Amino acid sequence: RPVARIVVGRVQGSGPRDAGAWMAVHAGGLIGTIGGGRLEFDAIADARALLAGGTVESERRFALGPSLGQCCGGVVWLRYELLQPSDAERVRAELLAALHGHMPVALFGGGHVGRAIVTVLEALPVRCHWIDSRDEGFPAELPLNVRCEHSDPVHGAVPALEAGSRVLIMSFSHAEDMDILAEC
């Protein structure tokens, strides 16, 4: 289905997200965020108008002050793009390239709690390295910003974590949790 993508093209002064941040609006909902508040509310309305066949400026300027009900004080320029299914591979390549600047997160635990956290992380600007000692724990389809690793013992994956990774430990075993923590 068609998707309207909203990209923060430029920020002058203080804004809720940096240039390059994006979100997508489709018939079934939203993916990502450009920072919330009235800025995002108005951008979503523009994107829905674009999806409905309306005319929307390809770039729109927002002053983040009292008139918009936001106190950031800066100015944000948003770009709008209507994407079709034929754009999927191009957009996938762009998103993979953009992931390199995102915060690394290491998530230990492939159970139901780990799956729930991956669902939340999918919409955030992070790169998730999902690790579990059980090979069968990972779903067949993964969000673009998630990669999986089977590691037995699970704490054996710690030395190879990306520097600066935020570590979430949600394994099925307190003993395994302690081994991961000790290795960290």
Side-chain angles (χ1 to χ4, degrees), residues 139-180:
E141 289 193 32
L142 294 168
L144 191 64
N145 64 338
V146 176
R147 70 181 174 94
C148 295
E149 178 183 346
H150 170 257
S151 181
D152 191 9
V154 71
H155 61 277
V158 171
L161 294 180
E162 185 175 343
S165 291
R166 290 4 182 236
V167 178
L168 304 174
I169 303 172
M170 310 284 167
S171 84
F172 64 91
S173 158
H174 292 304
E176 192 169 87
D177 290 349
M178 290 301 295
D179 290 341
I180 297 164

Side-chain angles (χ1 to χ4, degrees), residues 29-177:
L30 309 171
I31 302 168
T33 181
I34 56 167
R38 182 62 186 257
L39 170 69
E40 189 163 292
F41 181 81
D42 288 355
I44 291 168
D46 288 345
R48 286 188 174 137
L50 187 61
L51 286 170
T55 304
V56 174
E57 297 174 48
S58 61
E59 185 174 72
R60 185 170 169 201
R61 179 185 181 273
F62 290 86
L64 304 177
S67 64
L68 197 62
Q70 291 201 227
C71 59
C72 297
V75 179
V76 173
W77 285 264
L78 299 180
R79 291 191 319 262
Y80 297 86
E81 179 183 17
L82 183 62
L83 301 170
Q84 300 297 335
S86 59
D87 296 312
E89 287 307 311
R90 173 183 61 83
V91 171
R92 182 177 178 77
E94 290 172 8
L95 293 175
L96 281 171
L99 284 176
H100 294 291
H102 292 177
M103 179 178 69
V105 173
L107 171 61
F108 288 88
H112 69 282
V113 175
R115 286 174 186 251
I117 290 172
V118 163
T119 300
V120 172
L121 294 178
E122 177 180 11
L124 298 176
V126 301
R127 289 186 321 278
C128 179
H129 183 177
W130 192 10
I131 305 144
D132 196 88
S133 61
R134 301 163 296 170
D135 197 23
E136 71 281 352
F138 303 116
E141 289 193 32
L142 294 168
L144 191 64
N145 64 338
V146 176
R147 70 181 174 94
C148 295
E149 178 183 346
H150 170 257
S151 181
D152 191 9
V154 71
H155 61 277
V158 171
L161 294 180
E162 185 175 343
S165 291
R166 290 4 182 236
V167 178
L168 304 174
I169 303 172
M170 310 284 167
S171 84
F172 64 91
S173 158
H174 292 304
E176 192 169 87
D177 290 349

